[in-house]
Amino acid sequence: MTVHLEKWQSSRAAGRWLTLAVSVAACSSGPPPDFAPDPGLVAEIEEIRIHPRQEWVCPGQSIRADYDAVLRDGSVVPFSRRYDEDHPPALHVVFLRRTSPDAQSQGGGDWSTNPDPLTSAMEGFRLHAELITRPELSASAVVMPEYSCQPHTFKFVGRNGARGQSGLPGPDVLVRLNVLSSPFVERLLVAAVEVGDAPPFYVMHDANAIPPSDWFVIEALGGKGGRGEGGADGAQGTKGADGCPGARGGAGAAGGTGGPGGPGGPGGPITIMVPVEEPFLAGIVEGISLGGPGGPGGAGGDGGPGGEGGGGIFSGGRQCAAGSAGPEGAEGTSGPEGTIGSPGQRPRVITVSGEDVFGSRVPLELRALVDYSRN
């Protein structure tokens, strides 16, 4: 994941997901707008149920789910995902209003989960469905979060340099780490990554399932140097003298050499903050702070055009030939490539009280995790 300085963003910047209303199939094969359940069948329903197809899901992935209705006689009628106009189903998922604070309902009955791991850390992915025509008939289910899909390698890069200038330094990166507990994971590694002045984004992993060192990779790389200035174009050759015949024009001047590429920016500083009770937790992080590549040299200037040939004069009763144009000047050579930026310092490790690792201004979901971990 490459993040330029002007584009730092937090995965939480999009804000909370709103509770979503029922999703209606939009494809041409979906039910028509006036499709409705048979009132007699609806009157026979005693219960509706949600059946997620998996017990665990990683934040940002999809949940497949099925739904059915239990009638008074004990028979079960499924809510169909498909619609056949020749054989319309008795019940269809569009008859359900499906909402969740942690996932977005999708056409066909599935759910797209919130990729922010904080939102589901304490309560899982809560799914709710109710029959639109009888809202008192509702069902809920919870799918537990797991974190195998969460990233653990991040690259942040400074901006490229302007023409002929050095690249910008790599960004300041602060990684806050602690091992907490949740109702679903006994030892939950929580990482808050802050890049410059941007709000932090959060990543979670099962601490029992990761290597003990150099696994959480943070790169703060200098920006690439700017391209060198282009060389000056060569001057036009002098005009040949008039004569019989006219003299050849002078040669164009060679183009100038391109300017050197700008040097790469220096690597950015990386700071790792861990609880004083677990200082070796910092060993999980591999911090890489390298200078950016030098910019390419500027292009050589174009060779100057040859001078115009001299005019032919009228002599001895005849018109003499004009002189030919002079040769074009040689194209200038490209400038040298810029130098690689200097590497940054080794990552700095700061130990603080476990209570202070994430600071005082934390999201409510993280505060709930911290409080739960105390018990």
Side-chain angles (χ1 to χ4, degrees):
M1 179 176 69
T2 301
V3 181
H4 294 279
L5 295 182
E6 77 274 20
K7 296 182 179 178
W8 294 338
Q9 294 180 357
S10 163
S11 64
R12 298 176 55 80
R16 299 288 186 270
W17 286 21
L18 298 177
T19 299
L20 298 167
V22 60
S23 61
V24 179
C27 60
S28 59
S29 59
D34 59 351
F35 184 52
D38 178 80
L41 175 61
V42 170
E44 292 294 315
I45 298 176
E46 287 196 340
E47 177 189 2
I48 64 172
R49 301 182 297 197
I50 302 177
H51 303 284
R53 296 188 187 180
Q54 65 255 56
E55 295 183 17
W56 302 82
V57 68
C58 193
Q61 295 186 338
S62 297
I63 297 173
R64 301 273 290 172
D66 299 306
Y67 311 81
D68 58 40
V70 181
L71 306 186
R72 291 178 183 173
D73 61 5
S75 59
V76 177
V77 180
F79 286 84
S80 176
R81 292 169 168 267
R82 299 183 179 181
Y83 178 79
D84 183 346
E85 62 180 10
D86 295 326
H87 302 90
L91 294 175
H92 193 279
V93 290
V94 297
F95 300 156
L96 299 172
R97 178 178 292 109
R98 296 181 294 119
T99 58
S100 169
D102 321 297
Q104 178 179 353
S105 60
Q106 302 292 311
D110 295 336
W111 305 79
S112 177
T113 62
N114 191 331
D116 182 355
L118 277 183
T119 62
S120 55
M122 283 297 296
E123 299 187 72
F125 297 98
R126 296 159 288 176
L127 313 179
H128 181 82
E130 61 185 40
L131 195 62
I132 295 175
T133 55
R134 289 182 61 191
E136 72 275 13
L137 292 173
S138 65
S140 298
V142 173
V143 177
M144 297 177 286
E146 59 91 11
Y147 304 101
S148 61
C149 72
Q150 288 273 280
H152 60 92
T153 299
F154 302 90
K155 180 186 293 185
F156 307 100
V157 183
R159 290 180 58 182
N160 293 347
R163 173 79 66 165
Q165 302 298 309
S166 63
L168 273 67
D172 293 8
V173 181
L174 170 61
V175 182
R176 303 174 186 262
L177 286 174
N178 204 350
V179 175
L180 305 177
S181 295
S182 80
F184 309 104
V185 181
E186 179 182 4
R187 297 187 71 245
L188 181 64
L189 175 69
V190 180
V193 182
E194 301 176 22
V195 185
D197 295 327
F201 64 88
Y202 296 88
V203 182
M204 296 183 184
H205 289 276
D206 185 340
N208 291 327
I210 63 176
S213 64
D214 298 338
W215 177 78
F216 198 81
V217 180
I218 298 291
E219 297 184 67
L221 310 181
K224 183 177 181 179
R227 179 179 293 276
E229 297 283 358
D233 292 339
Q236 183 174 5
T238 58
K239 183 179 184 301
D242 295 342
C244 188
R248 185 182 188 186
T257 301
I270 299 173
T271 303
I272 305 166
M273 186 177 292
V274 295
V276 68
E277 301 86 355
E278 294 191 68
F280 297 109
L281 192 59
I284 292 176
V285 180
E286 179 184 7
I288 300 173
S289 177
L290 300 178
D302 293 333
E308 181 183 352
I313 64 174
F314 191 81
S315 176
R318 65 183 180 90
Q319 179 66 46
C320 297
S324 59
E328 185 176 295
E331 184 175 328
T333 58
S334 296
E337 186 175 278
T339 57
I340 296 175
S342 60
Q345 300 295 317
R346 291 177 57 85
R348 182 175 60 139
V349 177
I350 299 176
T351 56
V352 297
S353 165
E355 292 289 322
D356 298 325
V357 168
F358 296 111
S360 59
R361 301 178 64 183
V362 297
L364 293 177
E365 299 95 335
L366 181 55
R367 175 56 57 193
L369 271 177
V370 172
D371 292 343
Y372 181 88
S373 302
R374 291 200 193 103
N375 302 328

